[in-house]
Amino acid sequence: MTLGLADMGRFSEPALLVLMSLAGGDKHGYAIMEEVERDHGIRLGPGTLYGALSRLERRRWIEALAADERRRPYRLTPQGAQVLEEQLRSLQRFVTQGMARLSLT
Amino acid sequence: MNGIVRLYPRWWRERYGGELDALLAEHPPSFRDYADLLRGALDAHLQTASRPAFTTTLTRGGRLMKALAFALVLVLAIGLAVRSHLTAGRATGPTAAAHLTAALHRTALPFGTTVTASPGQPVFCSPGTHPALTVMPSVMPLNGGLHADYGPSIFVRINGRMTELQRCDGVR
C-alpha cells in the first residue's frame, strides 16, 4: 500500500506546505517557516515543522543535505515531487468541481 | 542546547536537535511556540513507542509506558504553566486586576471574570494574600446590601475559597 499525505494525520497540511516550499528550491527549517508564513499566511510552529520534516524524511520524500554550520538544508526528492504533484492534481479536481457547483467557471 | 529540546527523545535530538536549537536561537520561541514544541516532543515520544525497528533494551510495551508517562508529565507541566500564566499579575500591586472564579452571593459570575481596580469604587483588601479588589456594581456582597452600600467587609470566593475582604479605601 502506498502511503499518502493523508496518512500523516495532523501533519498532512504542514507536510504539504513543506513539500511546496522545497519545490521552489533547497531550504533549511527556518527558511521554510518564513516562506510558508509569507506566501500562505500560515505560521508553522517549530515543533510542527520538525514533526513534518522527520516524517517526510522517513518516507524519503525529502532528503537532508550537508549541514551549513548548524542549519541543515533539505531537498525535495523525485518521490516527494511525485507525491506533491498527485496532491496538487487532486486539489485541482476539488477546486474545479467546487467552482462548477457554484457556477463560477 | 535549549532546555525544551531536551524533552525530545535521544534519537530525535541526535538527528534534529542541533538544527532545531539553531532555529530557536535565531527565532526566540513565543509562549505558543513552547506549547507547539511540547506537543512535538510528545509526538516524537509516541513515534518512538510505535517504531518497530527501534533498537533499545526497552520492550515495545515499555516504550509505550515511557511515552504515556511523558504525556502525563507534559499535561501536568502545561497545566502548571497555564495556571501560572493566568495568575500572573495578581500579586503585582494594589491596583492589579483580581480574578473572581466563582459566585458571589447568588450572583453567578463566569469563570475568569476580571474585576479591575478603578477610581470611585469601593476597595476591599484581603490582608497579605490578594491585591486590592475593586468591587464593581455587578458584584454583590454576601452579607447583603446594595452595591452602593457596602459594609466594612464582604465575603467573596477567590480560587474556590471563601475569603473575607476588609474595606481598605478609608471610607467607613
Side-chain angles (χ1 to χ4, degrees):
Chain A
M1 189 181 76
T2 310
L3 289 174
L5 273 174
D7 301 306
M8 289 194 183
R10 79 173 183 97
F11 290 97
S12 301
E13 189 186 324
L16 176 62
L17 293 166
V18 170
L19 290 177
M20 185 77 167
S21 174
L22 293 179
D26 306 344
K27 288 178 199 74
H28 53 75
Y30 185 57
I32 295 172
M33 241 169 92
E34 278 197 318
E35 190 187 87
V36 168
E37 187 163 13
R38 190 189 63 230
D39 291 356
H40 308 290
I42 296 171
R43 170 93 169 77
L44 285 179
T48 301
L49 172 69
Y50 275 90
L53 285 174
S54 69
R55 281 166 168 76
L56 290 169
E57 194 181 12
R58 214 164 59 211
R59 291 175 188 214
R60 302 185 195 284
W61 293 349
I62 63 170
E63 62 189 359
L65 303 174
D68 166 24
E69 292 182 1
R70 287 201 300 163
R71 299 191 307 186
R72 188 185 292 272
Y74 290 89
R75 169 190 291 164
L76 188 67
T77 63
Q79 299 97 302
Q82 192 182 341
V83 169
L84 178 61
E85 185 189 335
E86 284 166 11
Q87 192 66 23
L88 292 176
R89 289 195 187 285
S90 164
L91 287 169
Q92 194 172 36
R93 285 194 296 275
F94 181 79
V95 170
T96 304
Q97 188 181 42
M99 297 293 268
R101 286 183 179 183
L102 291 172
S103 307
L104 296 173
T105 49
Chain B
M1 184 172 280
N2 189 306
I4 199 150
V5 180
R6 292 182 194 282
L7 294 177
Y8 281 79
R10 186 187 292 172
W11 68 267
W12 199 98
R13 285 199 312 267
E14 285 170 356
R15 172 62 190 83
Y16 300 102
E19 51 188 295
L20 177 58
D21 204 36
L23 185 148
L24 296 177
E26 199 169 351
H27 184 82
S30 62
F31 184 78
R32 199 172 172 185
D33 289 335
Y34 274 114
D36 184 66
L37 286 162
L38 284 172
R39 200 172 170 197
L42 173 61
D43 172 70
H45 278 278
L46 291 171
Q47 274 191 73
T48 306
S50 63
R51 278 161 49 127
F54 188 65
T55 51
T56 175
T57 53
L58 287 175
T59 62
R60 186 180 164 86
R63 294 199 299 271
L64 187 60
M65 287 305 291
K66 194 178 165 194
L68 288 174
F70 178 81
L72 182 64
V73 170
L74 189 60
V75 167
L76 287 172
I78 291 173
L80 286 173
V82 169
R83 186 167 178 241
S84 145
H85 182 70
L86 289 176
T87 55
R90 279 189 193 179
T92 55
T95 57
H99 297 261
L100 297 185
T101 56
L104 297 174
H105 193 37
R106 293 190 190 88
T107 308
L109 293 175
F111 178 83
T113 297
T114 302
V115 182
T116 310
S118 63
Q121 295 291 339
V123 178
F124 293 85
C125 302
S126 175
T129 54
H130 296 285
L133 177 72
T134 298
V135 178
M136 305 298 282
S138 61
V139 178
M140 298 292 288
L142 273 181
N143 47 354
L146 299 171
H147 67 265
D149 183 26
Y150 289 103
S153 70
I154 58 169
F155 287 87
V156 297
R157 194 184 296 276
I158 298 176
N159 294 335
R161 187 175 167 187
M162 199 59 76
T163 310
E164 183 178 15
L165 302 177
Q166 300 292 330
R167 191 152 185 175
C168 57
D169 55 2
V171 179
R172 297 287 170 193

